[in-house]
Amino acid sequence: MTRIPSKDEILAWISDNPALTSKRDISRAFGIKGSDRIELKRLLRELEDAGHLAKRKKTYRDPEKLPPVAVLEVSEVSPDGDLYARPLEWQGEGAPPGVLLVTKSSDPALKPGDRILGRMTEVKGEDHAYEGRLIRRIGQAVHRILGVYRKGAEGGRVVPIDKGADKEWMVPAGADEGAKDGELVEAQQTGPRARMGLPKAKIVARLGDPSAPKAVSLIAIHQHGIPDDFPDEVIAEADRQKPAGLKGREDLRHLPLVTIDPADARDHDDAVWAHADDNAKNPGGHVIWVAIADVAHHVRPGTALDREARKRGNSTYFPDRVVPMLPDRLSGDLCSLHEGVPRAVIAARMVVDAHGEKRSHSFIRGLMKSRASLNYREVQAAQDGAANEKCAPLIDEVITPLFEAYAALRQARAKRQPLDLDLPERKIVLSDEGKVESVRFAERFDAHRLIEEFMVLANVAAAEELGRLGRPLLYRVHEEPSPEKLESLREVAQASGFTLAKGQVLQTRHLNQLLAQAEGSEFDELINISTLRSMTQAYYSPKNFAHFGLALKHYAHFTSPIRRYSDLIVHRALITGHGWGDDGLSRDDIDQLEATAEHISDTERRSMVAERDTNDRYLAAYLSERVGNEFSGRISGIQRFGAFVKLDETGADGLVPVSTIGNEYFHYDGNAQTLTGDRSKRELSVGLPVLVRLSEAVPVTGGLMLELIEVDGAPVSTMTRGRSGKKPVSRQGSKARYKAAKTEKKVRHRRK
């Protein structure tokens, strides 16, 4: 009798041979014949019943893994141009795994919504679980575009505003919805795309003058599908809300809690206070209070307000407007901790020692009254000895104790060593009419850092508290860089004369050592940008994978429930865990936690892209009057088609097309992120200082086209000459010579 394999052996075989998973394949692998196949069939059925395998037609597979071939839907295009997809069929628990599409030059162009048949390869150490290669496209999404309408004799055309779009759309007569020439419109594809000629579309929305200053953010809102209009039932539900009373709450109105925000802030969702700990067992210690608006009291599970907040996921911030997660009745009124007004809060009381290490924490559902609404600049001025009338009475009781507690937290931060990137933020300043007045570095005071450290401490306390209570929650997760990205960073560091240790468990302190080596050198910005690009993107998850960037084992978002749905979930979990009321986590909240995490991670990315696109358009409008001027900058990205340059003055990104760089062919190395001239041997790489001329600025798309003048102090003209000083051969000849050399190399290799 043939030995029947164990269940573990069968599972191991299926895992190692995902393309050979039929009962016949398994029988052959273990040499099972005749009547023994009945026993094998029984084992497979038991594995299926236990959830270890999922039967798909005549094959078996691990339900927690994708089959070798799967139907996928393209879900997003990353800022770097990478395509991501999600499987349409998923048998495992939790959210389906992410798939990075690896495309070939011969593949058709894909966009979000397209459905494809893809060949799957499992990968490790990446922020996606699989790589997918196109077998064939099996369906296309109904495509919508945002563009400028150009009226013609018969019908018209829509010129897309997307930077990467190069094809116009034809609008037949009668399908223009009365749009005027030059008007911003939203159009929808009609019928399949023809191989020849322009695709056809009909106009579905007219959005007005695209050159109007305040149309800039409106473009991004429509382009990225951000909901900006609250349904009537949501507004009505918000309007029915009343201020919370003291019933069921602890009275915190005697505490001198204050809010500290930007000077133009309209809502205030966090208040702080600190004082010396009078416990003799904690000499030099501090008690830190962080009180957060009790949004959960007003936004209850399953209500219209809750559904709309989850749909939006977060507030989106533009230079000229905010698209809020909650209606203004809540975000700007009942959930805003206005000065002198009683407001419902969930407060964290945290005790730290003299070195800023947290010793204990507790959470309270209470009612507070803000002593003052302050801004960062005036708080910093008060700490520096120039208090205004509002801050002067608060110096001894509030402001000085806050900074003393912050000094202790700073010690704990230095010991923990979170990632310390130096990438100053630029702020676009608009006039009352919505035009760009200036672009300047955002102010950065110790008062900003104080609030940041207090919020981080409260977020850690919330995650630890819910872990102690055994309650489900959404963690804020940031995983460490993949080995591949880390190796690329190491190569950049070595090329710049620095070292990033190898062969050890990566910690943020290792990256900080690299950043410290580069500080003040000509490679400072290069190393900062390269380190940032090596990072994975943070996301939300019901499972705790720690926060690499902050060097924290437990981290959740608790401090901004007005503008983030994740924080509202954490508040509800605290309410349920402490038995504070019936407005905590619902059964649906818990059942949908994985899906909610994935959804709000997506909406966060959507907002980030929309905010970036809006800034690009504002900067292009600002620079459009300076076409022909020269600017200094640094190469921020390399692609086959050219180099991206970040301008020093404004932080705007522009493209130098490779076709405009001298008169030679440039070889692209994707791994090293370089373009190398075949004659001059000059290498363009990320971080190099350059001088460029602005040749084109298109406000409606946000696109900037640049002309390269100098690279690292050397004129571009020197890049176009070979050693003999003769004029280089044409691009076509150079390309042919390069191809011939590669062919000859292959032939020599085969002969060997």
Side-chain angles (χ1 to χ4, degrees):
M1 178 177 173
T2 307
R3 187 183 73 85
I4 302 297
S6 67
K7 292 179 181 179
D8 287 341
E9 288 173 326
I10 292 173
L11 291 173
W13 163 259
I14 291 174
S15 177
D16 294 338
N17 301 272
L20 301 171
T21 55
S22 69
K23 190 171 69 174
R24 179 181 295 179
D25 292 329
I26 298 170
S27 298
R28 286 177 178 173
F30 292 100
I32 299 173
K33 300 178 180 179
S35 60
D36 290 337
R37 292 183 179 178
I38 299 174
E39 179 63 16
L40 175 64
K41 186 176 180 180
R42 184 187 64 79
L43 286 175
L44 291 173
R45 188 181 296 115
E46 288 180 1
L47 286 169
E48 186 181 354
D49 293 340
H52 296 301
L53 291 179
K55 191 171 184 180
R56 188 171 182 266
K57 295 184 178 179
K58 294 185 178 182
T59 64
Y60 293 87
R61 63 182 177 87
D62 185 342
E64 293 296 327
K65 293 186 177 182
L66 292 177
V69 175
V71 177
L72 308 171
E73 182 178 83
V74 182
S75 56
E76 68 170 316
V77 182
S78 77
D80 297 327
D82 292 329
L83 283 171
Y84 288 90
R86 63 180 183 86
L88 291 184
E89 182 182 342
W90 172 240
Q91 303 292 335
E93 295 182 3
V99 180
L100 172 67
L101 295 181
V102 181
T103 57
K104 298 182 293 186
S105 57
S106 57
D107 288 345
L110 299 174
K111 60 185 180 298
D114 285 351
R115 294 187 176 190
I116 68 166
L117 193 65
R119 192 174 304 282
M120 299 292 99
T121 303
E122 193 171 6
V123 294
K124 303 291 185 184
E126 292 285 353
D127 53 3
H128 50 274
Y130 290 85
E131 289 182 352
R133 296 184 181 272
L134 176 72
I135 298 175
R136 68 176 182 273
R137 184 165 56 189
I138 57 178
Q140 289 182 280
V142 176
H143 190 48
R144 285 199 172 198
I145 56 165
L146 204 64
V148 176
Y149 179 65
R150 295 300 178 192
K151 200 170 186 67
E154 295 182 4
R157 295 186 179 188
V158 176
V159 182
I161 62 171
D162 288 326
K163 291 180 192 174
D166 58 355
K167 183 174 284 190
E168 297 178 358
W169 293 64
M170 184 175 69
V171 179
D176 61 5
E177 286 292 311
K180 299 177 182 177
D181 186 63
E183 198 170 30
L184 183 68
V185 297
E186 186 175 14
Q188 179 178 301
Q189 175 186 340
T190 56
R193 284 199 182 192
R195 295 198 173 198
M196 304 292 290
L198 298 179
K200 293 182 179 180
K202 66 177 181 179
I203 294 176
V204 295
R206 296 169 55 191
L207 305 175
D209 181 4
S211 63
K214 295 194 176 181
V216 176
S217 55
L218 187 64
I219 290 173
I221 289 168
H222 279 265
Q223 188 177 13
H224 295 284
I226 296 173
D228 66 329
D229 186 34
F230 286 103
D232 290 343
E233 63 172 337
V234 175
I235 295 294
E237 194 172 287
D239 288 344
R240 288 195 297 267
Q241 299 292 315
K242 304 294 182 184
L246 191 57
K247 184 179 179 181
R249 298 179 180 276
E250 188 170 328
D251 194 348
L252 305 177
R253 288 175 291 182
H254 62 287
L255 299 182
L257 290 155
V258 298
T259 61
I260 306 176
D261 296 288
D264 58 355
R266 291 182 62 248
D267 54 70
H268 313 276
D269 54 3
D270 57 82
V272 296
W273 179 51
H275 62 85
D277 188 7
D278 56 8
N279 188 336
K281 295 182 179 179
N282 187 26
H286 305 268
V287 177
I288 295 173
W289 287 83
V290 173
I292 305 299
D294 189 356
V295 176
H297 172 79
H298 300 282
V299 183
R300 300 192 170 222
T303 60
L305 274 168
D306 179 47
R307 291 192 297 270
E308 185 68 17
R310 185 182 185 274
K311 175 183 174 182
R312 295 177 179 228
N314 51 267
S315 298
T316 306
Y317 293 83
F318 300 108
D320 66 328
R321 74 180 76 199
V322 177
V323 180
M325 186 180 80
L326 299 172
D328 188 62
R329 169 64 173 155
L330 297 182
S331 60
D333 186 6
L334 294 180
C335 297
S336 190
L337 310 180
H338 294 304
E339 181 178 330
V341 180
R343 284 290 181 254
V345 294
I346 294 180
R349 180 186 184 274
M350 298 161 291
V351 179
V352 300
D353 62 21
H355 305 291
E357 299 290 347
K358 183 166 68 66
R359 292 169 58 104
S360 65
H361 66 254
S362 58
F363 284 84
I364 301 158
R365 199 173 199 186
L367 191 72
M368 65 158 280
K369 183 187 289 186
S370 173
R371 182 72 60 87
S373 294
L374 308 175
N375 65 62
Y376 291 112
R377 177 181 284 276
E378 64 185 353
V379 169
Q380 188 64 53
Q383 174 64 12
D384 295 340
N388 61 15
E389 292 182 0
K390 194 169 188 178
C391 292
L394 302 171
I395 290 289
D396 294 336
E397 186 182 16
V398 177
I399 294 176
T400 298
L402 283 175
F403 278 91
E404 289 174 346
Y406 166 59
L409 293 182
R410 211 166 48 203
Q411 293 181 52
R413 177 187 171 89
K415 180 180 178 181
R416 194 176 81 242
Q417 284 212 37
L419 190 60
D420 191 20
L421 289 170
D422 181 21
L423 293 168
E425 180 186 354
R426 289 176 175 85
K427 183 176 181 180
I428 295 173
V429 181
L430 302 178
S431 67
D432 292 339
E433 294 77 31
K435 290 188 176 182
V436 181
E437 285 187 338
S438 64
V439 181
R440 62 172 184 240
F441 287 108
E443 294 178 319
R444 186 81 173 145
F445 301 124
D446 274 348
H448 287 90
R449 299 181 182 93
L450 180 155
I451 294 299
E452 288 172 2
E453 288 303 312
F454 277 33
M455 297 304 116
V456 167
L457 187 67
N459 287 337
V460 170
E464 291 179 350
E465 178 72 359
L466 290 172
R468 181 186 71 81
L469 294 170
R471 303 304 306 173
L473 74 150
L474 290 179
Y475 289 95
R476 182 63 168 177
V477 173
H478 183 228
E479 298 185 70
E480 65 182 51
S482 67
E484 292 77 12
K485 289 185 177 181
L486 199 58
E487 188 57 36
S488 296
L489 175 60
R490 189 173 284 112
E491 289 175 1
V492 172
Q494 289 175 347
S496 305
F498 308 119
T499 56
L500 177 60
K502 195 173 184 179
Q504 57 185 326
V505 176
L506 180 71
Q507 296 179 2
T508 47
R509 62 184 176 86
H510 299 134
L511 297 175
N512 286 340
Q513 289 167 3
L514 171 62
L515 293 167
Q517 292 175 57
E519 187 176 0
S521 74
E522 60 180 312
F523 302 104
D524 193 345
E525 190 166 357
L526 166 63
I527 297 300
N528 272 273
I529 291 174
S530 300
T531 302
L532 177 65
R533 290 189 170 179
S534 72
M535 294 295 108
T536 59
Q537 189 165 6
Y539 62 95
Y540 295 103
S541 172
K543 298 176 183 176
N544 185 16
F545 300 112
H547 198 295
F548 175 79
L550 291 174
L552 292 168
K553 294 181 180 179
H554 309 277
Y555 196 68
H557 274 165
F558 158 75
T559 55
S560 293
I562 285 179
R563 62 184 181 90
R564 291 189 303 228
Y565 193 78
S566 59
D567 304 50
L568 179 56
I569 290 291
V570 169
H571 277 229
R572 287 176 181 168
L574 287 168
I575 292 167
T576 301
H578 289 97
W580 286 334
D582 59 358
D583 48 355
L585 273 185
S586 68
R587 173 47 56 187
D588 283 345
D589 281 338
I590 297 171
D591 291 344
Q592 297 178 23
L593 214 52
E594 189 85 40
T596 297
E598 183 179 6
H599 170 69
I600 63 177
S601 296
D602 288 343
T603 61
E604 179 186 49
R605 284 191 289 270
R606 177 181 69 183
S607 292
M608 289 170 59
V609 174
E611 290 165 6
R612 186 193 66 213
D613 287 353
T614 299
N615 286 342
D616 286 348
R617 290 189 176 98
Y618 271 120
L619 290 172
Y622 179 60
L623 293 170
S624 62
E625 298 176 0
R626 301 169 68 182
V627 170
N629 289 11
E630 295 180 1
F631 299 88
S632 63
R634 285 185 181 269
I635 295 177
S636 59
I638 295 289
Q639 290 294 334
R640 188 182 304 278
F641 49 81
F644 288 97
V645 173
K646 183 178 288 294
L647 304 183
D648 293 334
E649 180 186 335
T650 61
D653 284 297
L655 173 66
V656 178
V658 71
S659 59
T660 66
I661 308 174
N663 191 19
E664 61 179 329
Y665 181 72
F666 278 81
H667 301 298
Y668 170 65
D669 187 331
N671 293 326
Q673 284 286 284
T674 59
L675 285 168
T676 306
D678 68 337
R679 296 283 293 175
S680 66
K681 306 303 179 187
R682 190 60 179 269
E683 188 176 87
L684 302 180
S685 59
V686 174
L688 279 178
V690 295
L691 182 68
V692 295
R693 181 180 293 111
L694 179 61
S695 59
E696 184 181 0
V698 186
V700 75
T701 65
L704 299 178
M705 299 297 282
L706 307 172
E707 178 187 342
L708 202 57
I709 300 174
E710 292 181 0
V711 178
D712 204 8
V716 171
S717 57
T718 63
M719 298 171 60
T720 64
R721 296 189 177 276
R723 292 180 182 176
S724 64
K726 296 179 181 179
K727 184 179 179 180
V729 298
S730 69
R731 174 189 292 264
Q732 186 175 359
S734 175
K735 198 169 185 178
R737 202 169 55 250
Y738 176 62
K739 186 175 181 181
K742 283 185 69 176
T743 303
E744 184 181 350
K745 186 177 180 181
K746 287 181 181 178
V747 171
R748 286 201 307 268
H749 178 74
R750 286 172 182 168
R751 284 175 180 170
K752 287 180 182 179

